[in-house]
Each structure stands twice: as C-alpha cells, then as structure tokens.
Amino acid sequence: MSEQEFLQNLEKKLWTAANKLLPALDAAVYKHVVLGLIFVKYVSDAFDIRRQELIEQFKNENHDYYLNPDDYETAAEYEAEIAAELEIRDYYTEKNVFWVPQLARWETLQNHSKLPPGSEIVIKNGKETVYTMRSVGRLIDDALEAIEKDNPKLKGVLNKQYGRLQIDQAKLGELIDLIATIPFKHASLQAKDILGHVYEYFLGQFALAEGKKGGQFYTPKSIVTLIVEMLQPFSGRVYDPAMGSGGFFVQSEQFIKEHGGKLGNVSIYGQEYNHTTWQLAAMNMVIRGLDFNFGKEPANTFTNDQHPDLRADTIMANPPFNMKEWDTGVSDDDPRWQYGKPPSGNANFAWLQHMLYHLAPGGSMGLLLANGSMSSNTNTEGDIRRALVENDLVECMVALPGQLFTNTQIPACIWFLTRNKKARGTLADRSGKVLFIDARNLGYMKDRVLRDFKPEDIAKVADTFHAWQQGKDYADEAGFCYSATLEEIKKHDFVLTPGRYVGAADEVEDGEPFAEKMARLTAQLQEQFAQSAELEGKIKRNLAGLGYEF
C-alpha cells in the first residue's frame, strides 16, 4: 500500500470512529479533546522509541552505554539495573526527546482508563507512589500536568479540561483505545510522520465542522502551499504574526524536506491572540520536532508585539479579513505605520505594515487579504497603497478564485512584497516592475461549496513567479499574467487588481461565419423551447391525473 493510500485509509477510519464516540460535543470543544490525546500519544511514542534504543545500547558491548552482565550477580539484578537506568531523564533530553513521567505514558492511560473511581495505581518514577483514580478525565488532566511539570518548554501548552467535560467519562476511555490504533510504524513512514499527518487532517476536518469560526485557526492547505512554494523559505527566520495553528510553518517544513534542505537552518517565530489556538500551534510544532518561539504568551499582535526586535527573512500570514476596531491602545505614531496610519475600520493595511516593519532588508513576505485591499480608497487606504507602490515594495499580486475558504465567501488575493528587487543570486533586477497573476480560473470544485487547487495549478502560478523573478522564460499571457511598470500602475490610479492588467484571454477562432452561427444557434434554441413546452404539457397532464389540475 502506498503512503498516500495508507494515510487516507487511516484518516477516514479515525475521523468516522471518533465522531461516533462523542457526537454530543461541539466541534470547537471536541477538537481539543482529540488533538490533546493525539499529542500525548506522540510524546509517549517518541519516549518509547528512545527507550528501545537505550535498551539496545545498554546491551551492546561496543556502545558507550554498555552495561556488562558479568558485573552483576544475577540476571534479575542486571535487568533491574537496566530498568533503573531507563528512568534517568538525561538519556532522553540529550536527544531532544520529552521526558514522559510514568503517569503520562500511553500504556498507563490505556491500561487504567477503565478502572472504577477509588482504584489505586502504583507509579514508579525513581520512587514508588500511589495514584488514586477519580475519573478517566481527571487521569488525563493529571497526566498532562505531569508532562508540563517535567518539560518547561511545554508550560501552558496543554489544555487540561478533560475532567470538566460534560460527557460520559467512559467515552474518553474508548477514545484512548481508538487513538491507540494509530499504527506505530509503516514501511516508509515513522510514527512522527503518521501522527503529524493525522493531527493536520483533524485540524482541517474540525475547521470544516466549525464552519465560520473554524477558519480562524486554519488556512486551507492548498493556499498555504502556494505561498510557501512562491517564497521558498529555505533558511533564516520565518515569521507569522497571525499564525493560527501554525500551518505555514508545517508547510515550510514539508517544503524544506522535499527540496533537500536542512530544518536546522530555519528559525520559527509566531504570534497568536487566541489562547487555545496558540496551544494547538505549539503542539503542532512539537509533534513535528520543530523548535519554535511563539512569544511568552498568547497576545494581540498590534498592542503586545511578542517579537519587537525581530527582522525576519520570510513572513507569511493569513490574518483576519477586514478586521474592525483593531487599534484600541495603538499609538497613531507607531513606527510600524511608515506608509500611513491604517483606518480604524479596517486592519488590512495594519497587518501588512506590521509584517513589513518586521521584514529583514533582503526579506520577502506574502499575505492573504480581502480583494478590497487592491482597490479601496476608503480613508487612508488608497494613500497607503500608493506609497507602497511608489516605494517599489510590491513584487507580485495574485487574484484567487472564490470559494477557497471554509469560513468566508469574500474573494481574496495574495500580496507579495520585498524590500530588495535588485539583481542578486539567481534573481534578475525587477526594480520598477510588478507581476500581476489572475488565478481566478484555476482550481476545481472539490465538493458543492469548496474549491481547491490541484498541484499543477500551484506549480503554474509559482513557476510563472519564479520565471519572472529570474528573468528567464517569462512572457506575458493574456488573461493570466502581466509584468507592469510603476508608470502603468500609476495610470490605473494605483489600483492593483490583476484583472485590470492581464486583460482577457484570446478567444480561439472557430472559423464559423457569424450569420451561419446565429442561424444554427437560434434553430437549436427553437428546438429546445419545443421540448420544454412538450415536457410542461406532460407534467400538467400527470398532475391532473392525480387531482391537481391547474
């Protein structure tokens, strides 16, 4: 079975089964119940993998950790020493594996989740202690508390609310059993890859289930992939000031892996206001083994910037569209408003300028905004857009098709900006030029309401952008792309809607004379009218036969 088939079968099975277990819970709550347990499964599995490695090393006479059986009087004494060594925390932290206390190990949760209240569990962590069972929800909460206590990096990351859930606690035990069925290994996939995929799939499904609210923590994968493929964040500092569940970071990791780069060359910085979404993002990074800096706490990007001194090489974001009343507590002369104070009624240009402020001199950024940002002259928006163009900061504008988002039908576009359009490396001099791409006709309807990009759609847009950047094999294409000068943009009054520049695609001439075509089409229409009248008569006769004459 291929990796893709394996993962698709797994995700369908888990999602169907999980929904049968807790149908009474709202998706917004259920999300944290399921994803929190997947996280515990991950840290526990990673811990077990390291334990198995250590056991092999203790018995390998060529390894530094070798324990010679001849040094012990009995086999039992030798095995007891190995068991004691396995509980030494340094063996795990030296490999960046989270230390998982025995109470929080998956086998402890699974083996004891069905015990009645009052049962006692013996826990051995160096010394023996006795844990008294109150409920499975409370056991999970205490397990999460124990993980946080022993791993300062995870402080405040885990959502400890299982004991307060208004559900039959036995269902939590069944959910633990279900998550335990996630295969530990596959021929070419590691546990980390499998759990990471399941986590991402569940995030997407919960976003769909939550509808409008779900979109606040999740950006559709194809849009994230498009931005990552265009910006190619191979190295340096990567920043997302409205990170949601961290989708841009996950896709960047994927991109680096696929292109043979090194994950260690990228530093991840993020910020998120919503506390539970901030927790989801942190767990998302831990599951993938990514180091990250999400600031000291969840916070408002405009009033409590968690990375005030950061200058990032790549910045990507999908901030909330057309956010109102965003500037309470924000100074009018904030240094971020270099190109004009954004209006209180819309934060679009506040997000854009916040990102620009944090962009390194040679950096590039991409952000999703509502289409209105390309043409609005409300309050100061037209002046800010004009200043951005005149300072030659806008590199590319992409108009997206509708129905791409789970939470909004507002048409959207992607802004790409850079502080340096001069020739460098493989890039040609693009000074004084902006690339416009109209991608509204790309993609397909994946169901009745949602559109998606195919890989070839993403490749078409990204390849066009890179060809233009490099000055190789690029040509304007009517209806799709156009490289405009700042002078041309000025003639359009600094409106940046791609449709204004790319024009209409050339129609293919079919060779049929106009008069003949009209005669053929009107004859066809007459025939269809006749069929329609005949059908209408049949329907009326049938209804009359049933006593519904009209």
Side-chain angles (χ1 to χ4, degrees), residues 228-239:
V228 169
E229 291 285 337
M230 290 177 77
L231 292 179
Q232 300 185 319
F234 266 123
S235 61
R237 289 151 296 191
V238 178
Y239 173 49

Side-chain angles (χ1 to χ4, degrees), residues 6 25 35 131 133 137 150 184 197 209 222-223 262 277 300 356 358 371-372 381 412 495 498 516 520 542 546:
F6 168 78
L25 282 187
L35 295 178
Y131 178 87
M133 186 81 176
D150 278 327
F184 200 57
H197 179 90
S222 62
I223 300 178
K262 290 183 181 175
T277 305
N300 183 315
L356 204 48
H358 284 288
N371 272 1
E381 292 185 330
V495 169
E516 290 179 20
R520 177 175 61 77
N542 287 339
L546 295 170

